[in-house]
Amino acid sequence: MFGSSPPPPPEREYTPYVVFQPAAGQGLQRGINQMVNAIRPTLGPRSRFVAIGKMDRNRSPELVDNGGVIVRRTLALPDRDADMGAMFVRQMVWRQHERHGDGTATLAVLFQSIFNQGVTYLASGGNAMLLRNYLEKGLRLILAELAAMATSIEGEQALARLAESICYDPALARLLGEIFDIIGEYGRLEVRDGSGRELEREYVEGIYWDAPIVSRQMMEIIQKKGPAPGSQPGERPLVRAELENPAILISDLEIQEPRDLVPALSMAIKNQVRNLVIVARSISDNAIAVLLANRNPEKLVAIGVKTPGTLLDDMADAMRDLAALTGGQPLWSAAGDTLARLTPEHLGRARRAWADLSYFGIVGGGGDPRVLRDHIAALRASFRQTEDADARKKLRERIGKLMGGAAMLFIGAATETEMAVRKELAVRTADAVRGAMLEGVMPGGGVALLDCRPALQRLLKQATDLDERAAYRILIRGLEEPARTLIANAGADPSEIMAEIKHAGPGHGFDAAAERVIKMTEADIWDAASTLRGAVTTAVMSAGLALTTSVLVHHRKPTQEFNP
Amino acid sequence: MSKDHDMDLSHHDVVYAIAASPNFATDGICFAGRSSGLYRSQDGGVTWPSTLDSLQLSAPLAASAVAVSPAFTADRFVVAGAEGGVLRSFDRGDTWYVHLLPAPPPLISCLAVSPNFAEDGVLFAGALEDGVFRSANRGDNWVLWNFGLLDLHVMALAVSPDYARDETLFAGTETGVFRSSNGGRAWRETPFPSDLAPVLSLALSPAFASDGVLFAGAEVNGLHVSHDRGRSWQRLGAQIAAESVNAIILSPYFPARPHLLVLLANGPFLSRDGGLTWSAAAGADVADAQASAVAAPLGLEPGAPLLLGLTNGDVVRTTIS
């Protein structure tokens, strides 16, 4: 797909084989360089597009300016040795894209610089394992330097400027600034297709789950208007169930028999509960019929909603969240709980609850606010301690829900393709802004990395081991690569501008939009600390791994995955 | 107002809030929200006729909060909180308009008016179970904005004197203090210790924009101060450390003159050293009633008038000692 290296002989294409040095290293390097060079033009505000051909050759190519998308679209190289290197980059860049939403091009060029310098050094007789160890030692110093540079970011305008430095879309950045100023770093944001050409946003009050009402007949026409999850801008939900001051029965029970409901309904009436929400894993048609037959606004109106979540763990998490929010005590099927054991103490409370065919929501949970705050604090602590991306995502979504509202961003565009690209951009920028709010920001434009060099130079001066000195020199040069690439992409001369930056001193970098060297913080040009830390860590660790790879083993017929 | 509408002192109800005209020295106007209704004095707090007559209510309507516009002399705007809604007057309290808030009926516990109200028309209403309602058009429409407000039991609100620029306000709740820096559209927790809450009262320094000082009065746990916009808190004044601080008033000259007044159950106390030491603020005889509301319409200088609302429905006019 990229480059001009000849493909291996056809008879080897679907044959398992092993490749040793020097062919292994050369093949790996070919693939790494091809893939990174495809991403390189996308770095910085003056980035350029990469055209990716469609499967249908009659269709116009897709124009992409995002490293994550480029690697996702690049499924294989014909040169199988090079393909191994390209797929190494693909996996690495995709992980950065998934986890941070930004920094993919920075990661790619930094990784490439370290790797290529490392290959050159090893060719002159260096020790790969020692070099890798010293690269990792240098990484620890870089991370400490970056941590010292991080500052917190807050306020609508500052967030909008940060968003713009990521997406280069002023209208989108303005809205994301407003949204994150309101929903906060954990807040729930849904990015949806819009109906027009413009961007629009709406806010939903209260907390809601993807959990439908069990019967359409439990809903009614609601005159009150207001944004709701799933709605399009301008559209208003007309049909749903709304209950004031409801009691909430939280469970993951499967309610099969109508008679199972009798103790619950009797207890509710006896305790003067007028509105009751029964959260259950399932409610049979016969049991639903009992709930519908006994609807009496003077006595009791009960609705059923499904327990949020599809997996058991997700259901359990949702039930714990509901319990903290409403003050109820869940009934667990795994613990042998049944409705017969229901007492008034099991019921949670809320100011309002609503449900429709897709969602179940609560406004003003009636639980003890201390319990809720402690619950959220525990979720935040887990979030900080968890490394697993999926677990972090789930925890963030749970915290976001419990914060009391959600934002919906509707992406308008002239064409379907434009909408898809802008949606992708919005999601990616939102992830990066979240990261910045959680872990702070540092000077952008590659300046934070440049400002790590003096510390490495001090380490270099003290080092006597040849491999150690080589590692620090490689890192010092590598840290320049993102800034150099950004400058080159803007059409300026990297050597000339780098000299200007050196003369201007720490904190200074190249403002590609204004085409001059400035103090980045004064111009509000920032990078999200988490994004940059992630990019540097992955680049150095991956380069060390690639440099210590000696043999390639090809499978008979490798599979191709759309998602790396 | 006829004398027969004057406050019935035999009717034992609580004075929840007192608010005075910014031009009190000249017009003598002040309002008292009580369990039995809303009352207005136009003679500096001597007589208190009911002011809700225009509503022709069939039963008493408790006025749990009251506030006046900072531009009261020009716009004559008064707002009061009640169960289920807010009352507004645009003519110094002669006529009132009821605005119902979304069901179930919220109980308004406190009100706050933007210092820039003449231009922005922003009002906030704190509710005991529903969080904070916000209006940006002088109370015509109210919207619940509770993003990040993890405790919806709001007992006190305080708006930054520099609100037009910093859009900052604070909410005291059952579990602590929350801050909004975007005009009440989103809230963030402050590290006020939840075991020292509920927070019944809040007050911001008139120089908040530069000194970042705010005070929080807790139930049973005394007075607390933050010098960094709520990012950290310290307890103040051993003498009142175990008291319930129902209200806090700062001198208009604070911090140059670090005078502040707190309302405890046994009356108002004054500190002239930023809250370190305290003495009784007034020699008023409150008999066996407890003080429940206070206003110092002309500041905290000796001899300035002090209006004390009591749990027996009485409002006592005294002076700062």
Side-chain angles (χ1 to χ4, degrees):
Chain A
M1 181 176 279
F2 304 116
S4 57
S5 10
E11 65 270 16
R12 290 174 61 191
E13 195 166 341
Y14 293 111
T15 309
Y17 63 96
V18 181
V19 183
F20 296 97
Q21 295 293 14
Q26 288 164 358
L28 208 59
Q29 191 174 20
R30 263 197 322 275
I32 285 169
N33 285 334
Q34 284 180 30
M35 187 67 107
V36 173
N37 288 342
I39 299 169
R40 180 178 289 274
T42 66
L43 181 60
R46 291 282 178 89
S47 61
R48 282 161 286 167
F49 288 109
V50 173
I52 299 180
K54 295 274 176 67
M55 299 291 278
D56 177 355
R57 294 178 59 195
N58 291 320
R59 295 180 65 187
S60 60
E62 185 181 4
L63 298 177
V64 178
D65 63 353
N66 173 254
V69 180
I70 292 167
V71 296
R72 188 166 187 263
R73 299 283 192 276
T74 309
L75 298 180
L77 301 187
D79 171 351
R80 291 190 67 187
D81 295 349
D83 185 58
M84 197 81 91
M87 293 306 107
F88 187 92
V89 175
R90 186 182 193 232
Q91 186 67 31
M92 176 185 80
V93 169
W94 182 252
R95 277 183 55 195
Q96 171 80 12
H97 177 82
E98 282 285 273
R99 176 134 196 191
H100 301 285
D102 193 29
T104 51
T106 298
L107 159 63
V109 299
L110 181 55
F111 164 77
Q112 183 190 36
S113 174
I114 296 168
F115 176 74
N116 282 342
Q117 290 182 76
V119 168
T120 306
Y121 174 70
L122 295 180
S124 67
N127 181 314
M129 285 311 297
L130 286 177
L131 182 70
R132 179 178 167 179
N133 288 343
Y134 288 123
L135 286 173
E136 289 174 7
K137 184 179 172 188
L139 171 64
R140 288 193 288 276
L141 179 66
I142 293 169
L143 292 177
E145 289 292 304
L146 290 177
M149 284 182 224
T151 55
S152 61
I153 185 167
E154 61 177 19
E156 183 177 337
Q157 288 180 4
L159 291 169
R161 282 192 293 269
L162 173 69
E164 190 169 349
S165 73
I166 296 162
C167 67
Y168 312 118
D169 180 336
L172 176 62
R174 265 196 307 278
L175 277 189
L176 285 174
E178 178 197 293
I179 286 170
F180 277 101
D181 187 40
I182 289 174
I183 67 173
E185 59 270 41
Y186 295 101
R188 185 175 189 179
L189 170 64
E190 293 185 23
V191 181
R192 295 174 175 271
D193 291 349
S195 53
R197 292 189 175 200
E198 304 300 320
L199 297 166
E200 293 185 56
R201 82 294 196 197
E202 284 184 351
Y203 298 96
V204 180
E205 182 205 349
I207 296 153
Y208 62 90
W209 290 264
D210 292 11
I213 197 164
V214 294
S215 167
R216 189 181 288 270
Q217 290 166 279
M218 290 174 177
M219 300 190 296
E220 56 192 321
I221 295 173
I222 303 296
Q223 297 300 327
K224 194 180 76 176
K225 297 191 171 186
S231 67
Q232 288 290 314
E235 277 185 19
R236 298 293 181 249
L238 289 174
V239 182
R240 70 181 192 181
E242 282 197 0
L243 302 178
E244 287 178 14
N245 284 323
I248 321 279
L249 191 168
I250 308 162
S251 82
D252 62 352
L253 304 179
E254 295 183 11
I255 302 172
Q256 299 292 339
E257 298 299 326
R259 67 171 177 273
D260 293 345
L261 282 170
V262 173
L265 299 180
S266 304
M267 187 277 287
I269 291 169
K270 190 177 164 190
N271 288 277
Q272 297 179 329
V273 171
R274 286 285 176 86
N275 292 311
L276 176 66
V277 179
I278 299 173
V279 180
R281 191 186 306 182
S282 66
I283 303 179
S284 71
D285 289 345
N286 287 342
I288 289 171
V290 168
L291 292 180
L292 289 170
N294 286 283
R295 283 169 74 88
N296 180 351
E298 298 301 314
K299 274 189 167 177
L300 176 69
V301 171
I303 65 167
V305 298
K306 290 202 169 180
T307 311
T310 45
L311 304 175
L312 288 178
D313 283 350
D314 294 343
M315 281 188 201
D317 287 343
M319 287 165 64
R320 287 188 196 101
D321 293 345
L322 265 167
L325 184 67
T326 65
Q329 297 171 20
L331 295 177
W332 303 93
S333 58
D337 290 340
T338 64
L339 291 180
R341 296 172 60 178
L342 189 69
T343 66
E345 288 70 39
H346 284 100
L347 297 177
R349 290 282 177 177
R351 294 289 278 164
R352 292 194 296 279
W354 59 268
D356 61 20
L357 294 174
S358 303
Y359 303 99
F360 158 53
I362 280 179
V363 179
D368 182 341
R370 280 184 177 79
V371 172
L372 178 63
R373 290 181 70 178
D374 289 346
H375 181 68
I376 293 174
L379 293 177
R380 282 183 180 139
S382 299
F383 178 85
R384 284 192 293 271
Q385 289 160 7
T386 304
E387 283 298 315
D388 180 72
D390 288 339
R392 280 172 69 90
K393 190 177 174 200
K394 276 186 184 175
L395 284 164
R396 180 174 60 68
E397 286 175 355
R398 288 177 67 193
I399 298 166
K401 274 194 184 88
L402 293 170
M403 296 305 285
M408 283 179 287
L409 175 62
F410 297 94
I411 306 292
T415 64
E416 213 170 281
T417 309
E418 190 191 331
M419 187 184 289
V421 170
R422 216 174 180 195
K423 257 178 84 175
E424 157 76 27
L425 181 65
V427 170
R428 181 162 60 86
T429 309
D431 285 347
V433 172
R434 272 186 208 284
M437 293 176 81
L438 282 164
E439 297 184 38
V441 290
M442 45 190 64
V447 169
L449 298 180
L450 292 178
D451 289 352
C452 291
R453 292 175 305 166
L456 281 171
Q457 275 154 351
R458 286 193 292 275
L459 215 53
L460 175 62
K461 273 187 186 169
Q462 296 160 9
T464 53
D465 183 272
L466 283 180
D467 293 314
E468 185 174 8
R469 290 179 62 80
Y472 301 149
R473 270 198 296 268
I474 287 169
L475 288 174
I476 289 166
R477 176 61 185 79
L479 292 175
E480 291 178 9
E481 197 56 28
R484 284 180 174 276
T485 307
L486 184 148
I487 295 164
N489 285 349
D493 178 356
S495 302
E496 197 180 301
I497 300 293
M498 290 300 286
E500 258 191 75
I501 290 171
K502 188 177 178 186
H503 180 70
H508 287 78
F510 184 62
D511 179 355
E515 295 186 347
R516 61 195 172 92
V517 171
I518 53 162
K519 194 164 179 70
M520 305 307 264
T521 50
E522 285 175 6
D524 270 327
I525 297 175
W526 302 99
D527 279 336
S530 59
T531 301
L532 202 55
R533 273 202 293 268
V536 175
T537 305
T538 308
V540 176
M541 299 295 282
S542 301
L545 192 63
L547 287 168
T548 48
T549 302
S550 297
V551 179
L552 307 181
V553 179
H554 292 290
H555 287 284
R556 179 184 294 273
K557 190 171 183 180
T559 55
Q560 293 183 350
E561 297 288 344
F562 283 100
N563 283 320
Chain B
M1 289 291 163
S2 62
K3 192 72 178 171
D4 55 354
H5 282 97
D6 282 3
M7 187 179 280
D8 176 8
L9 298 182
S10 64
H11 190 117
H12 285 221
D13 59 359
V14 177
V15 178
Y16 294 120
I18 302 173
S21 158
N23 203 27
F24 181 81
T26 309
D27 61 23
I29 295 177
C30 44
F31 297 86
R34 282 173 51 188
S35 313
S36 59
L38 184 65
Y39 297 82
R40 176 179 63 177
S41 170
Q42 299 188 86
D43 53 13
V46 178
T47 58
W48 291 90
S50 169
T51 185
L52 295 181
D53 292 351
S54 66
L55 292 177
Q56 297 181 321
L57 299 167
S58 56
L61 178 65
S64 48
V66 62
V68 298
S69 162
F72 179 75
T73 308
D75 62 20
R76 308 195 298 176
F77 181 81
V78 194
V79 60
E83 185 172 5
V86 291
L87 309 169
R88 290 180 299 155
S89 170
F90 298 90
D91 55 8
R92 308 198 306 179
D94 289 342
T95 50
W96 290 87
Y97 302 90
V98 179
H99 185 102
L100 294 177
L101 294 168
L107 179 58
I108 302 302
S109 55
C110 50
L111 290 160
V113 184
S114 160
N116 199 33
F117 183 75
E119 282 77 41
D120 63 22
V122 169
L123 294 166
F124 299 98
L128 277 184
E129 288 185 273
D130 295 275
V132 178
F133 292 87
R134 180 183 192 270
S135 169
N137 53 12
R138 296 166 193 272
D140 285 346
N141 301 92
W142 293 84
V143 183
L144 262 181
W145 278 97
N146 290 331
F147 280 79
L149 191 62
L150 302 176
D151 180 355
L152 302 178
H153 303 78
V154 177
M155 297 166 181
L157 287 169
V159 180
S160 162
D162 198 26
Y163 178 82
R165 195 184 59 79
D166 64 18
E167 291 196 305
T168 296
L169 69 152
F170 293 86
T173 73
E174 194 176 312
T175 60
V177 177
F178 288 77
R179 175 174 60 94
S180 169
S181 52
N182 53 14
R185 293 185 300 166
W187 298 88
R188 304 284 182 268
E189 294 168 275
T190 77
F192 189 93
S194 63
D195 54 337
L196 300 180
V199 173
L200 305 177
S201 51
L202 291 166
L204 270 61
S205 160
F208 180 76
S210 54
D211 65 17
V213 169
L214 74 143
F215 294 87
E219 188 177 80
V220 190
N221 286 300
L223 185 68
H224 303 259
V225 65
S226 168
H227 294 278
D228 52 10
R229 299 172 170 262
R231 289 186 181 88
S232 62
W233 294 89
Q234 295 109 42
R235 188 179 275 198
L236 270 179
Q239 285 167 272
I240 60 166
E243 300 284 348
S244 287
V245 179
N246 294 308
I248 309 165
I249 299 172
L250 301 188
S251 161
Y253 310 111
F254 190 96
R257 290 172 73 85
H259 297 184
L260 61 154
L261 179 144
V262 293
L263 182 65
L264 310 180
N266 54 343
F269 284 75
L270 188 68
S271 168
R272 293 192 168 87
D273 55 9
L276 298 177
T277 57
W278 296 87
S279 57
D285 179 11
V286 297
D288 29 310
Q290 289 187 334
S292 54
V294 67
L298 299 179
L300 300 180
E301 298 304 308
L306 192 66
L307 302 172
L308 269 183
L310 306 181
T311 51
N312 65 4
D314 209 352
V315 176
V316 176
R317 184 183 158 127
T318 178
T319 55
I320 291 176
S321 50

